C-alpha cells in the first residue's frame, strides 16, 4: 500500500496504483479538471512531475524560484533561426506559480476563427462567458486597488503621450487592505496552489508529486501509466498506475511529447504556436524599480493583435540576464538597477513549430520557424516600443540584439533594421500553445471540440495544447475557461 498524508498527498507510492480518473499535470488545465471531477464525487489521482512548493517557498521572480519551479532552471529553447527561449513551470500548479498573473478573456474574433477553421463546436463568446466568470471569481481576477508600479506607469504615460491605447490588465490576485494609497498594493497571486489544488484535495482528490510519466498504454478498458517516482535527485523507483480515464494536462510541450512517446501521433506536436517576443531594457534618470515591485500591469494594445507592448519582470536577476546582449554595460545593472526596467514587444506571429522525441533523451526537440513577416513585425514592434520609451523619458535603451549599439536618442531608432537579423536577435516567449489543437476538422485537429483525443476512448487533453492558434493575449484565461467547459461536458453537466 502507498502511504497517504491526511491532506490526500501520496508519498512512497507502491505499484500498481489504481483510480477511476488520472490527471497528469497540475497546471491550470489539470488543476481545474481534477478539482471539478473530484467535487463531482469521482475518484481522481492528480500526478505532477515537480514538487509541491507553496508560493512562499521562495521570493517571487528570484534565482531560487528559477531553480525550484522552472523546468531546467528556465533554460529551454525552441530551435530555429533565431532560436526562441521559452519557459515551463515544473511544480504543483505549473505555470500559474511562476507567471505574471495577467488575465485576458479569449478575443471573440479568435473564437470565431477557431470555429471556422477548426470546426470547434460550442465555443462562441456566449458559450464561454459562464466559464470565464466562474474562473474569474475562483482566482479573484481584479485590478489594482491602488497605485501601479512606477515602471508600469512609465509605459502607460509614454503611450498616452503618443495617443496610443494603454490599459491596466487585471490579474488573479488577492490584495491586502492598505492605508497608504500612494504605495503600490501588496497581494498574493491566486495560483493553482492557492485555489483549485486545495479545493481538489478537500474534495478527495489524491495528489502524487515528483512523478514523471514516461509512457501510456491502453489495456482493454484501462489506461496503464508507466513512470518514475523520484525519491531525490539521484534515486527513483518505477511506478505503474491504472486508470479508467486519462486526462493529459502537461502543457503545450510535454503533452505532445508524452503522446508521441506512447505512439499517439495523429496531429500531435505538429502545430506549435507561440507569441515571439523581443525585449529592451530601459534606463531612466529617476527610480522606477524596487525589489518588491512585482509585475507591472499595463499593456499597450494600440496595434493589437499584431503587436502588444508591456513591462516585464524586472528584478535584478532578470535584468542581469537581459544585459547579456550588452556585456560591456553589465555594471549598469549592479549600480543602477533601480533606474532600469525590462519592456517587451510581442507579436501574434505566423510561424509554426513542432515537438519531437529524440531516442535516449528525456526532453523533446522543440523547433519553431519564424517567417520573414514575423521578423519584420518584431522590428516594427521594437521601433515603436523604443519610441514610446523615449517619449516616457528613457535616457538609454538596450535592445535584445547581440553586438548592437545601445540607443540614446530617438534618432538612433533608424539603426534598427527593417528585418531583425536572425544571427543576432535574442527572442523569448512565455506563451506556448496549439500543439494538439481541438475541433472536428480531422485534417488539423488532435482532439475533438471538448478535448477527447480522436480515435481513442477515455483519453483527453486539457491544457494550452488545445488552443487552435495563438490568441494574441495572455492565454491562461482561455486555458482555464476551456478546461472548465470540457470538464463539465465530461460530467454531463454542460
Amino acid at each position: 500500500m502507498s502511504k497517504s498524508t491526511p491532506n490526500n498527498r501520496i508519498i512512497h507510492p507502491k505499484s500498481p496504483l489504481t483510480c477511476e480518473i488520472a490527471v497528469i499535470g497540475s497546471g491550470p488545465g489539470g488543476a481545474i479538471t481534477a478539482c471539478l471531477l473530484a467535487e463531482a464525487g469521482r475518484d481522481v489521482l492528480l500526478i505532477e512531475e515537480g514538487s509541491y512548493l507553496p508560493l512562499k517557498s521562495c521570493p517571487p521572480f528570484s534565482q531560487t524560484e528559477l531553480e525550484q519551479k522552472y523546468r531546467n532552471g528556465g533554460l529551454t529553447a525552441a530551435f530555429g533561426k533565431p532560436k526562441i527561449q521559452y519557459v515551463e513551470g515544473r511544480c504543483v500548479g505549473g505555470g500559474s506559480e511562476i507567471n505574471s498573473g495577467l488575465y485576458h478573456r479569449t478575443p471573440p474574433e479568435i473564437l470565431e476563427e477557431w470555429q471556422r477553421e477548426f470546426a470547434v463546436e460550442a465555443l462562441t463568446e456566449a458559450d464561454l462567458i459562464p466559464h470565464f466568470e466562474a474562473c474569474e471569481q475562483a482566482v479573484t481576477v481584479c485590478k489594482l486597488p491602488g497605485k501601479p508600479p512606477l515602471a508600469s506607469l512609465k509605459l502607460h504615460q509614454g503611450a498616452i503621450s503618443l495617443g496610443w491605447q494603454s490599459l491596466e490588465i487585471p490579474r488573479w490576485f488577492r490584495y491586502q487592505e492598505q492605508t497608504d494609497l500612494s504605495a503600490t498594493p501588496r497581494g498574493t497571486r491566486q495560483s493553482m496552489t492557492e485555489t483549485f489544488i486545495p479545493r481538489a484535495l478537500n474534495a478527495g482528490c489524491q495528489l502524487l508529486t515528483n512523478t514523471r510519466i514516461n509512457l501510456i498504454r491502453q489495456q482493454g478498458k484501462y489506461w496503464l501509466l508507466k513512470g518514475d517516482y523520484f525519491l531525490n535527485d539521484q534515486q527513483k523507483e518505477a511506478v505503474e498506475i491504472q486508470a479508467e480515464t486519462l486526462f493529459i494536462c502537461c502543457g503545450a510541450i510535454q503533452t505532445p511529447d508524452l503522446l508521441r512517446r506512447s505512439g499517439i501521433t495523429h496531429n500531435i506536436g505538429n502545430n506549435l504556436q507561440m507569441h515571439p517576443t523581443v525585449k529592451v531594457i530601459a534606463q531612466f534618470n529617476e527610480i522606477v524599480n524596487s525589489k518588491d515591485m512585482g509585475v507591472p500591469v499595463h499593456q499597450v494594445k494600440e496595434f493589437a493583435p499584431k503587436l502588444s507592448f508591456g513591462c516585464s519582470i524586472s528584478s535584478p536577476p532578470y535584468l542581469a540576464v537581459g544585459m547579456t546582449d550588452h556585456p560591456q554595460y553589465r555594471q549598469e545593472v549592479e549600480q543602477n538597477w533601480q533606474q532600469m526596467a525590462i519592456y517587451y514587444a510581442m507579436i501574434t506571429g505566423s510561424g509554426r513549430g513542432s515537438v519531437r522525441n529524440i531516442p535516449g533523451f528525456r526532453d523533446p526537440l522543440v523547433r519553431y520557424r519564424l517567417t520573414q513577416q514575423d521578423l519584420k513585425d518584431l522590428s516594427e514592434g521594437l521601433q515603436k516600443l523604443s519610441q514610446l520609451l523615449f517619449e516616457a523619458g528613457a535616457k538609454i535603451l538596450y535592445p535584445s540584439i547581440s553586438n548592437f549599439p545601445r540607443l540614446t536618442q530617438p534618432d538612433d531608432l533608424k539603426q534598427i533594421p527593417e528585418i531583425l537579423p536572425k544571427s543576432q536577435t535574442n527572442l523569448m516567449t512565455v506563451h506556448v500553445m496549439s500543439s494538439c489543437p481541438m475541433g472536428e476538422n480531422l485534417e488539423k485537429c488532435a482532439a475533438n471540440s471538448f478535448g477527447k483525443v480522436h480515435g481513442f476512448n477515455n483519453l483527453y487533453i486539457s491544457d494550452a495544447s488545445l488552443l487552435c492558434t495563438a490568441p494574441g493575449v495572455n492565454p491562461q484565461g482561455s486555458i482555464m475557461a476551456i478546461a472548465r467547459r470540457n470538464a463539465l461536458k465530461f460530467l454531463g453537466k454542460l
Side-chain angles (χ1 to χ4, degrees):
M1 292 286 292
S2 302
K3 295 181 182 179
S4 182
T5 61
N7 62 358
N8 283 333
R9 291 180 58 192
I10 296 174
I11 56 174
H12 302 302
K14 302 300 179 185
S15 293
L17 292 173
T18 59
C19 60
E20 179 192 358
I21 301 170
V23 179
I24 308 174
S26 63
I32 290 174
T33 300
C35 175
L36 295 181
L37 298 184
E39 289 179 342
R42 311 301 280 268
D43 171 28
V44 181
L45 173 63
L46 179 59
I47 305 162
E48 169 58 46
E49 183 180 356
S51 301
Y52 197 157
L53 299 164
L55 287 178
K56 294 180 180 178
S57 67
C58 61
F61 314 118
S62 63
Q63 181 67 36
T64 304
E65 185 181 72
L66 285 168
E67 296 167 357
Q68 282 188 355
K69 298 183 179 181
Y70 285 67
R71 183 174 298 278
N72 299 325
L75 297 176
T76 43
F79 290 93
K81 293 184 178 180
K83 67 179 182 295
I84 302 177
Q85 301 286 338
Y86 65 90
V87 295
E88 294 179 278
R90 185 178 171 273
C91 59
V92 173
S96 75
E97 307 300 310
I98 60 174
N99 64 24
S100 62
L102 298 175
Y103 177 89
H104 291 265
R105 294 183 178 185
T106 321
E109 63 272 16
I110 295 295
L111 295 175
E112 291 173 6
E113 176 188 337
W114 293 355
Q115 293 173 80
R116 184 175 63 251
E117 296 187 17
F118 294 83
V120 187
E121 299 173 353
L123 200 72
T124 65
E125 184 180 23
D127 290 324
L128 281 187
I129 280 177
H131 308 294
F132 285 131
E133 291 177 344
C135 291
E136 288 159 11
Q137 182 176 6
V139 298
T140 322
V141 172
C142 61
K143 291 188 175 181
L144 275 172
K147 181 182 177 182
L150 293 174
S152 187
L153 285 174
K154 283 291 186 184
L155 182 83
H156 181 64
Q157 290 162 0
I160 296 303
S161 179
L162 291 169
W164 295 351
Q165 182 189 38
S166 174
L167 307 170
E168 180 191 334
I169 307 302
R171 296 193 292 174
W172 48 92
F173 259 67
R174 188 180 296 277
Y175 290 99
Q176 304 169 6
E177 290 188 16
Q178 63 183 98
T179 55
D180 182 4
L181 297 180
S182 65
T184 299
R186 295 178 179 271
T188 302
R189 181 170 55 238
Q190 296 301 284
S191 67
M192 296 301 105
T193 58
E194 294 283 323
T195 54
F196 285 98
I197 298 289
R199 276 178 54 182
L201 296 176
N202 289 336
C205 173
Q206 290 194 300
L207 174 63
L208 177 60
T209 60
N210 302 305
T211 300
R212 176 180 170 85
I213 302 302
N214 300 315
L215 198 69
I216 63 171
R217 285 280 184 266
Q218 196 161 26
Q219 290 190 339
K221 64 176 185 177
Y222 295 100
W223 283 96
L224 179 66
L225 289 60
K226 294 188 175 185
D228 294 306
Y229 173 74
F230 288 85
L231 300 163
N232 51 50
D233 289 340
Q234 283 78 37
Q235 292 179 291
K236 63 183 180 181
E237 295 177 351
V239 63
E240 289 191 359
I241 300 162
Q242 190 180 73
E244 295 176 22
T245 300
L246 176 57
F247 283 83
I248 302 181
C249 313
C250 307
I253 304 299
Q254 303 304 318
T255 286
D257 179 39
L258 175 56
L259 288 168
R260 294 190 70 89
R261 271 189 274 125
S262 304
I264 301 171
T265 60
H266 181 65
N267 292 331
I268 302 290
N270 301 337
N271 189 56
L272 180 69
Q273 297 188 38
M274 56 182 65
H275 293 145
T277 302
V278 62
K279 289 190 172 184
V280 58
I281 295 176
Q283 187 170 347
F284 296 87
N285 287 318
E286 64 271 34
I287 290 176
V288 297
N289 199 351
S290 63
K291 287 187 176 178
D292 62 350
M293 178 174 78
V295 180
V297 295
H298 287 97
Q299 290 182 347
V300 177
K301 291 294 186 180
E302 179 72 18
F303 310 101
K306 178 182 174 182
L307 302 171
S308 297
F309 308 142
C311 187
S312 185
I313 305 302
S314 299
S315 61
Y318 282 74
L319 283 165
V321 170
M323 197 60 88
T324 55
D325 292 314
H326 302 271
Q328 67 272 39
Y329 300 112
R330 201 173 303 161
Q331 75 282 356
E332 291 290 337
V333 173
E334 299 172 10
Q335 298 168 5
N336 300 307
W337 68 268
Q338 289 179 295
Q339 297 165 249
M340 305 172 82
I342 304 172
Y343 297 86
Y344 65 83
M346 178 186 89
I347 67 169
T348 300
S350 55
R352 296 292 182 273
S354 63
V355 180
R356 292 291 184 269
N357 314 111
I358 307 177
F361 286 81
R362 183 192 64 178
D363 294 321
L365 172 63
V366 180
R367 289 178 286 200
Y368 187 87
R369 186 183 66 83
L370 286 159
T371 65
Q372 285 291 98
Q373 187 61 50
D374 290 339
L375 291 166
K376 284 188 71 171
D377 290 347
L378 284 162
S379 175
E380 181 184 348
L382 179 59
Q383 292 182 48
K384 283 184 163 59
L385 174 62
S386 299
Q387 177 188 359
L388 181 158
L389 292 170
F390 278 129
E391 186 72 20
K395 66 174 184 177
I396 304 172
L397 301 180
Y398 304 88
S400 58
I401 305 174
S402 299
N403 302 314
F404 194 79
R406 62 182 188 172
L407 310 175
T408 59
Q409 57 184 349
D411 277 353
D412 291 345
L413 300 184
K414 299 172 184 175
Q415 299 179 46
I416 299 174
E418 183 181 359
I419 298 177
L420 292 187
K422 292 181 179 180
S423 60
Q424 294 172 251
T425 304
N426 291 308
L427 303 178
M428 57 79 62
T429 188
V430 292
H431 305 152
V432 290
M433 68 284 294
S434 311
S435 53
C436 304
M438 61 181 170
E440 308 307 320
N441 184 337
L442 296 182
E443 293 183 2
K444 294 183 175 183
C445 299
N448 75 6
S449 299
F450 299 93
K452 182 177 178 292
V453 177
H454 286 302
F456 291 87
N457 293 324
N458 304 324
L459 178 62
Y460 295 82
I461 297 169
S462 188
D463 58 26
S465 307
L466 290 180
L467 306 187
C468 299
T469 63
V473 296
N474 303 58
Q476 186 166 308
S478 304
I479 296 165
M480 292 194 299
I482 290 170
R484 184 179 190 275
R485 159 190 177 267
N486 292 0
L488 293 179
K489 173 70 173 181
F490 175 83
L491 291 167
K493 296 182 178 181
L494 189 62

